[in-house]
Amino acid sequence: MKNFQTVRGVKDLLPNELSKMRFIEQQASIVCKNACYEEISTPIFEFAKLFEKPLGETSDIVTKENYVFQDRSNNTLMLRPEGTTGVVRAVINESLLQDFPKRYFYYGPMFRYERPQKGRLRQFHQFGAELLGVQDYFADIEIIYLAKCFLKNINILSQTSLKINSLGDNDSRGNYKRELKSFLEKYKNDLSPESKIRLQKNPLRILDSKNKKDIEILSSAPKFQNFLNKSSLDFFNSVCEGLDKLKVNFEIDQTLVRGLDYYSHTAFEFKTNIVGSQDAVLAGGRYDDLSRLISRQMFPGVGWAAGIERLTIMLDYKYSFVPMVGLIGHSNLHYHVLLDYYKRFLENKINSQIIYNGTLSKKFKKANKLKCLFVVVLGENEIENGILQLKNLKTGQQQQLNFEDAIKIIKKKNV
C-alpha cells in the first residue's frame, strides 16, 4: 500500500522546528503580559459571513484563499484566515465594551488556500496582539512599540526594518481612490489580470501588487500622502513623533497598504530580506471600521500579527533534547523495578529516559548518543541490595549508591 503523504501546503512540525515555535510563543507572551495584555483564544472555525464582509469581496483571502465548508446542519463555516476579526467578535458577544480599553494577545493556527512557498503554508501559525477602544494615536505608538519589544526579545530585530504609512480616514481614502483609479485607467490594458479586477472594485489593492509591470506603472502614480486631509496628516505625524521619542527606527513607505477593507490611518510592517519574497514577518495597523462591519457596534482598534513559521527561519536557536539520566536494565526481567525508579526520578524533577532494547553495550551507546549526563544501571545485584549503579558519562566515574544519594549527586550537577 502506498504511504499517505500530507496535504499540499501543510507540514508536520518535528521537535526541532516546534521547539523554535514554542520559544517564540513563550517570549511573545512574556512581552505581552509585561505590557498588561491578556491572553484570548477564539474558535478555529466560525460562520463564513463573519470573515467575508469585513475582509472585502476583492481581498485575496475571500476570492481565492479561504477554506469554506458546510457542516451537517448546512451552516457555511470558514477556517479562520486571520485572528483579529474573531477577537473583535468575541468582545462584542461577551459585552465587554463597557470595560474598554481591552488589551489581548493570541496564538494559534490560521488557514489560507494559497501557493505554498518558503515561509508560507496553508496551515500556519500566528501570534497577534490587539488594543481595542482607544481612538487616539497613542494606541498606535503603543502597539508598534510592543511589536519592537517582541522582535527584540527573540533577537531578530536587527534583521528587520520597520515600514509605516498612513491610509488616512474615510474621506482621505475616498479622494485618493478616485485619483488613483483615474490614473490607472490610462494603463488599464497593461495591468495584470488581477489588478484589472481590483481597478473596478478597490484600486488601493493594486498598490500591493507583486506583478513587475504593475510596479512599474505605480512608480509614477499619485502619492497617498498628498491626499491626506489635515486630521489624517496630524494623526500620522503624531504617530511618527511618538515613535521617534521611543527611539523606534522606521521608514515611511507610501506603497504600503493593508490587504483588508477595514483598515484606516496607521499601517506598518517589519520586513526582512532573509525569508525570500515573503518579506513581512510582522504586520498590523488600525482597523476602526471592523466592528461596524460585523455588528451594530462601532469602536476603534489597532493590532498586529506575526507569522511564526517565517520567524523560525530567522531565529538562531539551538534545539537541545538531552536526558539528564538514562535508565538501563541488564535484561527485560529488571524493567519492573526500573520503572519504579523512573517514577521516582520524575517525581524528583530529574529529566530521565528508559533505554530499551539491545545488549548492555548497545544501551550504553544509545545513552552516549542521547548525550545523557548519567546512566543508572540495574541488575540482579543492585535489586537484591537496594542500590543503583550510577555512572557519570562525562568523567567515567561509577559508584554504587542508594537512591537518595544518587539524587543528591544528580541534582548537584543539574544546578
Side-chain angles (χ1 to χ4, degrees):
M1 180 180 176
K2 185 179 178 181
N3 291 338
F4 282 107
Q5 303 295 318
T6 58
V7 177
R8 186 168 186 258
V10 302
K11 62 184 291 188
D12 300 308
L13 297 172
L14 300 180
N16 186 39
E17 184 175 7
L18 191 57
S19 68
K20 289 184 180 182
M21 294 174 66
R22 290 284 183 261
F23 171 77
I24 292 169
E25 177 195 358
Q26 290 164 4
Q27 295 303 309
S29 298
I30 289 170
V31 169
C32 286
K33 288 178 180 178
N34 189 49
C36 299
Y37 283 66
E38 300 175 286
E39 186 169 10
I40 189 171
S41 179
T42 61
I44 287 177
F45 57 88
E46 303 253 16
F47 289 111
K49 286 185 178 179
L50 174 69
F51 296 107
E52 287 173 350
K53 187 173 181 181
L55 291 180
E57 63 178 6
T58 62
S59 76
D60 284 344
I61 295 175
V62 167
T63 57
K64 63 181 182 181
E65 296 178 4
N66 52 342
Y67 276 95
V68 178
F69 61 97
Q70 301 286 128
D71 68 8
R72 293 181 181 180
S73 300
N74 290 321
N75 295 309
T76 304
L77 307 177
M78 185 188 293
L79 296 179
R80 63 184 182 194
E82 50 86 27
T84 302
T85 306
V87 171
V88 171
R89 179 207 43 77
V91 166
I92 295 167
N93 286 168
E94 301 300 327
S95 303
L96 299 175
L97 280 66
Q98 66 272 18
D99 296 327
F100 276 166
K102 303 297 288 186
R103 293 171 170 85
Y104 293 116
F105 70 89
Y106 59 85
Y107 173 81
M110 309 293 166
F111 304 85
R112 294 182 191 173
Y113 189 87
E114 53 187 342
R115 185 171 65 86
Q117 51 190 291
K118 186 178 181 181
R120 172 174 279 186
L121 296 167
R122 290 176 175 175
Q123 177 181 323
F124 58 100
H125 295 77
Q126 281 187 345
F127 189 100
E130 315 290 352
L131 173 48
L132 305 174
V134 180
Q135 188 75 53
D136 297 325
Y137 62 85
F138 297 112
D140 304 55
I141 299 168
E142 176 183 324
I143 206 77
I144 294 173
Y145 186 71
L146 185 72
K148 176 193 172 180
C149 292
F150 160 50
L151 296 178
K152 184 178 180 181
N153 226 39
I154 59 174
N155 298 315
I156 66 167
L157 181 64
S158 63
Q159 302 174 56
T160 67
S161 58
L162 172 60
K163 313 286 187 181
I164 67 170
N165 192 25
S166 173
L167 304 179
D169 58 16
N170 290 333
D171 289 338
S172 297
R173 259 191 330 282
N175 292 334
Y176 181 65
K177 276 184 181 180
R178 285 189 290 273
E179 188 68 23
L180 181 64
K181 184 176 181 181
S182 176
F183 168 82
L184 291 173
E185 286 283 0
K186 304 171 189 175
Y187 303 92
K188 183 176 180 180
N189 294 332
D190 299 319
L191 292 172
S192 66
E194 191 172 56
S195 291
K196 288 177 181 177
I197 296 172
R198 289 175 169 178
L199 180 60
Q200 302 306 317
K201 298 185 176 181
N202 191 345
L204 278 184
R205 297 192 188 284
I206 300 175
L207 295 176
D208 200 30
S209 173
K210 302 298 187 292
N211 180 275
K212 289 183 179 180
K213 186 62 178 177
D214 289 349
I215 293 172
E216 182 183 336
I217 293 169
L218 288 168
S219 64
S220 56
K223 302 303 180 186
F224 209 144
Q225 294 285 313
N226 297 332
F227 291 83
L228 295 178
N229 56 28
K230 185 178 185 305
S231 61
S232 294
L233 192 58
D234 288 345
F235 190 102
F236 186 58
N237 288 336
S238 296
V239 171
C240 293
E241 289 169 8
L243 293 175
D244 281 333
K245 287 180 181 178
L246 292 178
K247 301 189 185 307
V248 177
N249 297 323
F250 64 89
E251 299 173 21
I252 296 174
D253 180 356
Q254 294 194 41
T255 66
L256 177 61
V257 295
R258 292 268 61 85
L260 307 175
D261 289 338
Y262 49 69
Y263 281 98
S264 60
H265 291 296
T266 312
F268 61 92
E269 291 183 356
F270 283 85
K271 295 190 173 187
T272 184
N273 58 8
I274 293 176
V275 296
S277 63
Q278 301 305 315
D279 57 353
V281 295
L282 184 151
R286 178 168 281 276
Y287 46 86
D288 290 350
D289 287 336
L290 175 56
S291 58
R292 178 180 56 82
L293 290 172
I294 65 173
S295 73
R296 296 179 180 177
Q297 308 292 337
M298 186 168 181
F299 54 83
V302 61
W304 52 259
I308 305 301
E309 282 82 359
R310 292 185 196 175
L311 292 174
T312 62
I313 297 172
M314 305 170 64
L315 195 64
D316 182 19
Y317 178 84
K318 299 294 188 294
Y319 171 67
S320 177
F321 174 72
V322 179
M324 177 61 65
V325 176
L327 301 169
I328 293 175
H330 275 266
S331 78
N332 293 345
L333 298 174
H334 304 137
Y335 278 111
H336 66 288
V337 180
L338 202 63
L339 282 166
D340 183 59
Y341 279 117
Y342 174 66
K343 173 176 175 287
R344 294 168 70 183
F345 275 118
L346 295 184
E347 288 172 347
N348 279 273
K349 296 181 172 56
I350 301 295
N351 185 356
S352 307
Q353 180 173 321
I354 298 176
I355 299 174
Y356 298 104
N357 303 330
T359 63
L360 197 60
S361 63
K362 286 185 178 180
K363 291 174 184 175
F364 268 97
K365 286 180 181 178
K366 177 68 173 177
N368 278 304
K369 187 176 181 181
L370 290 169
K371 298 182 180 179
C372 298
L373 186 56
F374 293 97
V375 166
V376 166
V377 184
L378 196 69
E380 291 291 346
N381 180 58
E382 288 77 21
I383 292 173
E384 288 177 8
N385 294 288
I387 57 173
L388 298 171
Q389 287 281 355
L390 182 69
K391 183 174 182 178
N392 186 318
L393 291 183
K394 285 193 174 181
T395 65
Q397 183 182 10
Q398 188 165 321
Q399 304 174 71
Q400 287 190 337
L401 302 164
N402 61 35
F403 178 78
E404 288 73 19
D405 289 338
I407 284 289
K408 289 177 184 177
I409 292 173
I410 293 166
K411 283 190 172 181
K412 189 175 180 181
K413 290 287 184 181
N414 201 26
V415 173

